[in-house]
Amino acid sequence: MNNYTDQQIGKDLFRYIKKRSKKTNLFKFAWLKNQILKISIQNKKLQTQLFRFVDVLPSLKTKDRRLDIFLQYLHEGKSLLYAPSFLAAKTPVIREFLDWIINFSVKELAKTFICGSNIQQAKQSIKKLSLKNQLYTLDLLGELTLNKKEADKYFNDYKQLIQEIPSAHLSIKLSALEPHINILDFEIKKNNLSNKLRELFRLAITANASINIDTEHYFWKDFYFQILKEILIEDEFRSWTGAGIVVQAYLKDSQKDLEDWISWAKKRKSSISIRLVKGAYWDYEYAKAKQQNWQCPVFTQKFQSDINYEKLSEILLDSYNFVRPALASHNVRSLAHAINYALKKNIPKQAFEFQMLYGMLDELKDYFSENDYTLRIYLPYGDLVQGMSYLVRRLLENTANDSFLRQGFLDGSSEDLLLQDPNEKSFDLPKTPVDTGFENIANIDFSKSINHSKIQSEIKNLNNEFKLAQKYPCLIGDQKIFADKFFESVNPAKPSQVLGLISHGTEQDCNKAINRAKEIQKKWSQWDCSKRAELLKNVAHELEKNRFRLIALLCLEAGKPWVEADGEVSEAVDFLNYYAQESLELFSGDKLRSLPGEKNYNIYQPYGVSAIIPPWNFPLAILVGMASAAISVGNTAIIKPSMQTSLIAYEFVKIFNRVLEMKGLHQFKGLLNLITGEGKTIGNFLVEHPDVKLIAFTGSNAVGMSIYQKASSTFPPKRVVAEMGGKNAVIIDESADLDEALPGLIYSAFGYSGQKCSAASRAIIHQNIYQDFLARLKQTLPEIIITDPAQGQCYMGPVIDANSQIKINNYINIGKQEADLLIGDLELPETGYFVSPTVFVNVSEDSKLAQDEIFGPVLVVFKANNFDHALSIANNCSFGLTGGLYSRSPNNIKQAIDQFVTGNLYINRPCTGAIVSRQAFGGLKNSSIGFKAGGPNYLLQFVQEKTITENTMRRGFAED
Ligand code: FDA
């Protein structure tokens, strides 16, 4: 038992580092790295821009483009170097030199963290390490592959490495081994990954190699751990000790992970290696959790990760009889704690190892071999384009405010501070600011298999419920009114499955509903707005409680894949909560200027009875959005849903009425009335009815415009709020990150079979990357899983009905004659209204294919000569709903913001999936009439604005 403290050992390590640093040659490239890092951390804005530039550089093929983008980033970073560089770059010789220096610097920067670009260079590094008694683990750069070809390349490369390097030690990433274009194909991924892993492990056993599986994003962690546990316990691999896994101490559930692994190893009765790290994806996990409104999986204070790391080090070291502990860190305090703990517990030095990354804290590395500890260096090698995520992670790690390396070696914090026990820092815990903004409801976390089971079981329940093909009535006030005639609602993936028989509402039913809505409207509008808001929130809560049933229903009746259906339920809940909140804001006070003796104010009054006409593609969210907006401000409503998705509308109105009952508000039955049936008859009847004062519509441009015409020819004209489609373009410029652009575009164009009004249907690709892009698209798109959406792995389901199928196929046939088919005629399920994902190239800009809203999985691809040309193609369209841009050029991004004529512009992300209160949604040109849904102005359309001016002066005296 020793009596050292962690601080004393830490000081020893620092002494060692200092001695080594003095010997460091200033011209060694670590110096250059440090200079670049120092410049960047002095200016946070410049740092971001420099790292962004490093990220894009390997993709830029020409000198002119490199210089151009470099200057743009300097300008964005407000760097003092911008003006002289800009001027200098005008001279050809200096241009040449600047380009050389930029390339040189980034390559040297990369070289400090990446040991080589090919296996020969990696082997040399291994040799050098062995001379210093240091071990290695080899990492072939690259992660997250999109298609089989890319994944198989990694698989084959890994196999080759095992065979080529004697007793190789590899660190591999499972995200590279199996393509990631599909989202919820867990079973398929599991099968394929398991087979690949078994093959690699078999080879490794024969070649006496070791394989460590790196841990990546939280979403996949449990899934990957489960696969590994299952395989490594199989008879064939049970006694193999060459496998390793990684536990990330920044995760709140990491202690449980570690303990599970240890007890698993005890049961297995043969050891595996467990590498303990803090975790490399903190920014991503934190932002992702915030965006999804999920519980944050990572600690949010750095000292919490440090405390946890120390605690887990102890658990890990204590278990050295069952697993092989590997402590990976560059934090002197964390390392000192582990060293001290092992000394105190007399843990043999051979029983565990330390691990560090190539190029990080090199000054300390020899300490371990000199003191009989085992040190293993993580050696990344490979192509820089594939390795860019790795490089950027290292740059961030060296420069993050909380990073030990930054504080110790760039900021020069005192040793005492750096070696302080992290437990003592917990007193500095900053207070979390209270967030008073609107909070979106969280989507389901699909990494949890329990959520898959819940959806499956609801689908089963509904399938049973629908076996009887019951009759569904119109819902008017508190009455259920069954018609004489019914139409079928069917499952578009299995048209023979009739889900229900829906009442054909009549004009008489409409009159009844209008009368009821009129009857209660005054009372409703006089009700306190906070009570109205409360009711909407209660309905939101009830929808949330029924989330899984609603997902299942969307899946069966609208043909929505799970992820899409889940997003739609969230959107519906958000609309209710958001308009509840916004209505309070609207009625909250005077917005006009008053003067002494003159009082001015606005009051907002509802129109009266509204007609809500939603589409089948968002049968829940858009219906709920338009209806809740109308009633939140005192209107009442008649809902006329799309025929194809009447059951979903029925389910919502049923839930709404149930809440009224639960809250004892029977008198308000009829706030929302449901009339199912044909648009041509009852839709028109409602639009033209003199007592309907407001129409909220979402659907095709043709129907929207006809409603607009009818509504404007009455006296007085009716208020119309209309969303009417798009022909949306996504531009991918030559600086874009294709690893993001490609899946983003595929999702935008083919998610929900291209049937979102926001879907991408035109892709515009810069000529310099056009061929590469087409090749990867051709490789990747055919791999999306097209099947019945009731199955979780479904990426793309059917289109809504036979008419749509025929219409879309007609367009495809036109395309085959007028343009070149790049991808199409893919294998489809035998039954159901499926249409093949189809891509055309060499399309004329003004053709029907390029101009008509097809509303199906059809994408046309254009080649653009330059960015101006790309924008002109994008804008050559009568619609202007959404647009997308993938670019890493600050100037192109600015130009698109200015010139891309579109209601919603999405930069470096898919162009669908607007979220209430964050992406107010609505278009320009032929796409919309009115303000955007889910935004701060939307409710204004559902009220009439009345201005009151009162002279408050009485015989010369004025009110205060
Ligand atoms: P330091 O003490 O400076 O810690 C920095 C870390 O603290 C951040 O990386 C983050 O984890 C955490 N942190 C930062 N801000 C925080 C905040 N506000 N709240 C809470 N925590 C915060 N990583 C990985 O995810 N999977 C892997 O498989 C591997 N493999 C691997 C192998 C080897 C040999 C090494 C050396 C490293 C890894 N890593 C890794 C990377 C590793 O996760 C990363 O290097 C460390 O997190 C850096 O921690 P240090 O202890 O070195 O530094």
Side-chain angles (χ1 to χ4, degrees), residues 137 171 173 212-217 245-250 275-283 298-306 309 327-332 334 354-358 360 376-378 393-394 397 400 402-406:
T137 182
S171 281
K173 293 196 168 51
N212 186 88
I213 311 294
D214 287 356
T215 299
E216 302 170 73
H217 295 120
I245 57 98
V246 180
V247 171
Q248 296 160 316
Y250 66 8
R275 177 195 297 158
L276 182 65
V277 300
K278 281 177 198 149
Y281 309 88
W282 188 87
D283 291 44
V298 290
F299 292 113
T300 51
Q301 302 299 321
K302 165 72 164 61
F303 70 80
Q304 295 171 314
S305 295
D306 291 339
Y309 189 90
L327 298 134
S329 173
H330 311 100
N331 181 320
V332 175
S334 304
F354 290 98
Q355 296 192 349
M356 286 184 157
L357 298 176
Y358 178 82
M360 305 266 283
R376 187 180 301 279
I377 305 298
Y378 189 94
R393 280 203 296 276
R394 296 292 80 82
E397 202 165 293
D402 281 335
S403 139
F404 183 89
L405 289 180
R406 169 173 169 173

Side-chain angles (χ1 to χ4, degrees), residues 936-954:
N937 302 319
Y938 191 66
L939 288 189
L940 283 173
Q941 311 169 104
F942 292 80
V943 285
Q944 312 181 73
E945 194 175 14
K946 194 165 167 184
T947 302
I948 315 295
T949 296
E950 185 183 346
N951 173 6
T952 55
M953 193 84 88
R954 298 277 193 284

